Amino acid sequence: MNINAFSLENKIAWVTGASYGIGFAIAEAYADCGATIVFNDINEELVNKGLKAYEEKGIKARGFVCDVTDEKAVNELVKTVEAEIGTIDILVNNAGIIRRIPMTEMSAEEFRKVIDVDLNAPFICAKAVIPGMKAKGHGKIINICSMMSELGRETVSAYGAAKGGLKMLTKNICSEFGEFNIQCNGIGPGYIETPQTAPLRERQPDGSRHPFDQFIISKTPAARWGKTEDLQGPAVFLASDASDFVNGHILYVDGGILAYIGKQP
Ligand code: NAP
Ligand code: GCO
């Protein structure tokens, strides 16, 4: 087998919302495999924070202030990248938000906001990069889904609806553009230690673990939360030539939660 199939040399990767967290870890892995990194975040402070973090890792990334829900701004970003760096070979739709609110207490506006960032924006960003990928004859689109693409739980109705829709958007991009050698797959992280899940892991006043933290440990065969590094290998695989015949697939990187009924209390 040609192990260079996992190389990302001469590839341009755009990872959305990648100043820190899962997006940063994926972009770092891509850079380690030879890719040129482009990332965006929602404000200049975050972009500068990200640029500093990439620099500390020896990565020369290009950062853009861009709200992924703003189609005009997204198209401008892609146009600038294509003019100044080159056609985007790899898009990772990573930017996302969650609002943990009981459904009957959630406003329609709050629901729409989550759908806008977590589902509409991946559509906007994919639509922006596909023409370049078609012209170049290849492309990789990776949507960061979730276990909530498969399961529900209290207080995350908007997030689950968005991530379930993102799973199906992944399958539709696969269906519509596979003939142009564009592969669109998803990564479904389990429970990962990032700022987004920090509230679920906060120590209790008596120093004990958060009840939800204990719950996730009991539901995970690996008996631990995931780390962003756990996602790097799967993300490189889906961005590389090694996955050219993998399309429309959601790769769950969850330590086995989705396969496990949970440890008996
Ligand atoms: P995170 O720590 O909240 O980071 C998300 C990043 O996206 C932040 O930099 C955020 O900026 C940015 N962002 C939010 N809205 C944006 C917008 N409109 N335009 C541009 N950037 C925007 O999240 P994470 O834990 O790294 O998660 C990254 C992705 O993985 C998300 O899609 C999340 O749903 C998914 N995921 C996470 C887990 C987990 O356990 N952590 C598991 C499964 C899936 P701000 O700092 O301004 O919010
Ligand atoms: C939650 C968590 C999850 C994780 C992830 C699981 O509140 O249940 O935030 O949604 O972020 O999506 O795959």
Side-chain angles (χ1 to χ4, degrees):
M1 176 202 160
N2 172 14
I3 57 161
N4 290 327
F6 290 91
S7 166
L8 300 181
E9 289 291 344
N10 304 316
K11 297 284 175 68
I12 297 168
W14 172 28
V15 186
T16 68
S19 293
Y20 60 90
I22 288 173
F24 181 87
I26 290 176
E28 180 190 5
Y30 287 2
D32 290 346
C33 293
T36 297
I37 301 305
V38 171
F39 77 101
N40 68 292
D41 223 307
I42 202 154
N43 60 49
E44 192 160 356
E45 185 191 351
L46 274 172
V47 170
N48 290 336
K49 170 184 168 183
L51 285 170
K52 187 168 181 295
Y54 286 113
E55 197 178 332
E56 284 166 3
K57 298 276 186 182
I59 299 168
K60 275 175 65 59
R62 274 294 297 275
F64 293 83
V65 177
C66 174
D67 177 342
V68 289
T69 66
D70 178 345
E71 185 164 27
K72 186 170 180 293
V74 166
N75 290 336
E76 274 302 309
L77 180 154
V78 172
K79 197 171 150 206
T80 303
V81 172
E82 289 180 343
E84 296 180 8
I85 308 174
T87 301
I88 292 168
D89 300 289
I90 302 158
L91 165 66
V92 179
N93 278 311
N94 167 77
I97 61 172
I98 192 167
R99 296 290 179 266
R100 300 181 183 98
I101 305 168
M103 190 171 149
T104 50
E105 296 167 29
M106 184 177 224
S107 71
E109 186 46 40
E110 286 167 323
F111 187 93
R112 271 194 291 269
K113 178 64 182 168
V114 175
I115 298 290
D116 207 18
V117 178
D118 294 3
L119 180 56
N120 294 344
F123 160 78
I124 288 168
C125 295
K127 195 174 101 174
V129 301
I130 283 170
M133 291 179 171
K134 280 176 70 173
K136 201 166 182 182
H138 70 244
K140 298 282 186 179
I141 297 172
I142 297 153
N143 294 321
I144 306 299
C145 297
S146 160
M147 284 172 45
M148 276 47 207
S149 298
E150 301 295 341
L151 302 172
R153 86 171 183 87
E154 303 81 359
T155 77
V156 292
S157 59
Y159 183 83
K163 293 299 187 179
L166 186 56
K167 173 174 78 171
M168 288 315 301
L169 178 63
T170 300
K171 293 175 186 280
N172 274 278
I173 294 171
C174 151
S175 307
E176 197 163 340
F177 300 102
E179 67 178 285
F180 302 104
N181 192 27
I182 294 171
Q183 291 84 45
C184 181
N185 292 287
I187 288 177
Y191 280 84
I192 311 295
E193 291 175 345
T194 72
Q196 190 248 51
T197 56
L200 306 175
R201 291 177 281 109
E202 268 167 15
R203 286 281 170 180
Q204 302 301 285
D206 64 3
S208 62
R209 298 177 84 122
H210 190 292
F212 195 88
D213 180 358
Q214 297 177 52
F215 170 65
I216 291 302
I217 298 294
S218 74
K219 291 284 283 181
T220 310
R224 68 173 175 88
W225 285 68
K227 299 192 177 309
T228 56
E229 293 78 7
D230 290 320
L231 298 162
Q232 291 181 316
V236 168
F237 166 63
L238 289 178
S240 72
D241 297 347
S243 62
D244 278 357
F245 205 55
V246 177
N247 211 352
H249 183 75
I250 312 298
L251 177 54
Y252 286 97
V253 186
D254 65 358
I257 292 184
L258 284 176
Y260 184 38
I261 195 169
K263 191 173 288 300
Q264 183 182 348

